[in-house]
Amino acid sequence: MLKQIYVSMDIFQKFPQIEKDYNDFVCRMNNDKIDVKQLDIKNSLDNCSIFMDRLKGLKNDSLVLTTEFNAMNIEDKNIFCVGFGEDYSGKLPYVIMDLYVTHNYMRLIYARYTHTPFVVASTNRLLLREIQLCDVKDLCKLYNTLSDCPYLEPLYSYEKELEFTKNYITNMYGFYQYGLWLVYEKSTQELVGRVGIENRQIDGVLRQELGYVIGKNYQHKGYAYEAAKAVLKYAKEELFLDELFICVQKDNIPSIGLAKKLGFTSYGEAQEFIIYNCLLTEKMHIG
């Protein structure tokens, strides 16, 4: 888990007007229990070995923001550098343009560096996070409880689902930074469902669709609504999406009811589906 962020002094030297942005950044990170410090590395930037020694002296589980083109990472201590500035042209795989970023985005970068599943949201009862290959077995068990559901697209065979999930992690999470996420019950740490955002062609345009499924043993507890509300909030505040869609089979009464409860309104129809959409406007209450 990300614990510290170091902002190197070369950023302040290159962007002297950034001091106020830095103070706001510190407050946002501290509110999520991420400690932020300034790091003076001006005497080590031109010497890789000195620079590495400075990094080794930092606390584990840290990100270092820097304009340095030759910055390196200390993987055994989970210390990783992040490029900074619109004109950054170094070799670091992750770059942020300014300090107007959320703590969730910094945690996402850290998760990508460490190849760990990103925790998308935490609600009163639920935890939403990305899937790992080791989760596929539990996911198959969950879907087996829904084998009689006519609206649910089944999983592949176990081995094929493993391969699909491996590619999904790389191509969906890695490229779009969203997808279907796993839903865990906090009190029991049991997998109770899936929820998230996927892409679908609607009216010839690639749109973002809200999807959800709750295991049979966990239905009628309000979990789908609670998890979906968290996704709406994340879509607006972290992904900056203006709109989400839901496509529901015309006779799937429970899903139609959930769509309406979430504030989605009728958009149109396509074959056996009713299409609903929701504008993620400033006035909409999604907290």
Side-chain angles (χ1 to χ4, degrees):
M1 178 181 294
L2 176 62
K3 296 178 181 177
Q4 291 86 210
I5 296 175
Y6 295 90
V7 181
S8 64
M9 292 300 295
D10 57 290
I11 291 176
F12 295 95
Q13 294 163 5
K14 189 170 184 178
F15 306 100
Q17 74 283 3
I18 208 169
E19 189 68 38
K20 182 181 182 302
D21 299 341
Y22 171 77
N23 293 332
D24 293 340
F25 177 77
V26 170
C27 289
R28 288 197 303 279
M29 298 303 123
N30 286 349
N31 286 340
D32 196 54
K33 299 179 180 174
I34 301 174
D35 193 21
V36 180
K37 299 182 185 305
Q38 294 184 18
L39 177 65
D40 187 359
I41 56 175
K42 61 179 181 294
N43 295 323
S44 61
L45 290 177
D46 295 329
N47 188 310
C48 289
S49 62
I50 296 176
F51 183 75
M52 288 291 283
D53 287 341
R54 290 302 310 276
L55 291 185
K56 289 178 182 177
L58 302 181
K59 294 181 179 179
N60 293 7
D61 304 307
S62 298
L63 292 179
V64 178
L65 307 187
T66 179
T67 62
E68 169 58 23
F69 293 166
N70 297 314
M72 294 166 284
N73 300 317
I74 312 293
E75 295 189 7
D76 61 334
K77 295 188 67 175
N78 284 342
I79 298 174
F80 305 100
C81 291
V82 178
F84 184 88
E86 293 183 2
D87 60 347
Y88 180 83
S89 58
K91 297 180 180 180
L92 292 172
Y94 300 101
V95 179
I96 62 172
M97 302 297 105
D98 51 50
L99 292 178
Y100 293 103
V101 292
T102 65
H103 60 83
N104 269 329
Y105 187 67
M106 300 308 295
R107 290 194 184 282
L108 176 63
I109 292 175
Y110 180 80
R112 294 291 178 263
Y113 261 129
T114 54
H115 305 289
T116 53
F118 174 59
V119 175
V120 177
S122 177
T123 69
N124 289 336
R125 299 181 294 171
L126 305 173
L127 185 76
L128 282 61
R129 71 159 172 82
E130 294 177 338
I131 193 172
Q132 304 177 90
L133 291 181
C134 60
D135 298 318
V136 172
K137 186 172 293 186
D138 287 338
L139 186 65
C140 290
K141 292 179 181 177
L142 184 82
Y143 269 62
N144 285 341
T145 69
L146 298 165
S147 58
D148 58 345
C149 178
Y151 310 113
L152 183 63
E153 184 176 343
L155 300 178
Y156 299 112
S157 64
Y158 177 70
E159 292 299 329
K160 192 173 181 180
E161 190 65 32
L162 273 177
E163 185 63 26
F164 174 83
T165 301
K166 181 180 179 180
N167 293 328
Y168 190 89
I169 291 170
T170 300
N171 300 325
M172 196 68 187
Y173 294 161
F175 186 78
Y176 292 104
Q177 308 304 340
Y178 59 77
L180 286 177
W181 301 304
L182 300 184
V183 180
Y184 284 88
E185 190 177 56
K186 284 182 177 179
S187 62
T188 63
Q189 298 185 345
E190 292 183 356
L191 177 64
V192 302
R194 288 175 106 180
V195 69
I197 301 168
E198 293 211 291
N199 296 324
R200 180 190 283 261
Q201 287 282 340
I202 298 175
D203 292 338
V205 179
L206 188 68
R207 313 275 194 175
Q208 284 72 48
E209 177 188 13
L210 173 66
Y212 42 80
V213 58
I214 299 296
K216 197 165 189 176
N217 299 331
Y218 304 99
Q219 294 177 3
H220 310 297
K221 295 184 177 183
Y223 283 168
Y225 178 76
E226 186 173 330
K229 289 284 281 188
V231 172
L232 291 180
K233 188 174 189 293
Y234 186 82
K236 176 185 175 183
E237 296 180 358
E238 302 292 337
L239 300 176
F240 306 107
L241 296 179
D242 297 321
E243 186 176 27
L244 279 177
F245 288 79
I246 294 178
C247 298
V248 184
Q249 286 94 334
K250 294 178 180 179
D251 58 348
N252 189 347
I253 304 303
S255 281
I256 291 173
L258 178 58
K260 293 178 178 179
K261 185 178 180 181
L262 288 166
F264 284 72
T265 57
S266 181
Y267 176 85
E269 297 186 9
Q271 298 176 335
E272 75 272 22
F273 292 101
I274 303 175
I275 303 173
Y276 294 88
N277 75 323
C278 178
L279 299 177
L280 305 179
T281 61
E282 289 293 331
K283 293 181 180 181
M284 179 183 175
H285 178 68
I286 56 176

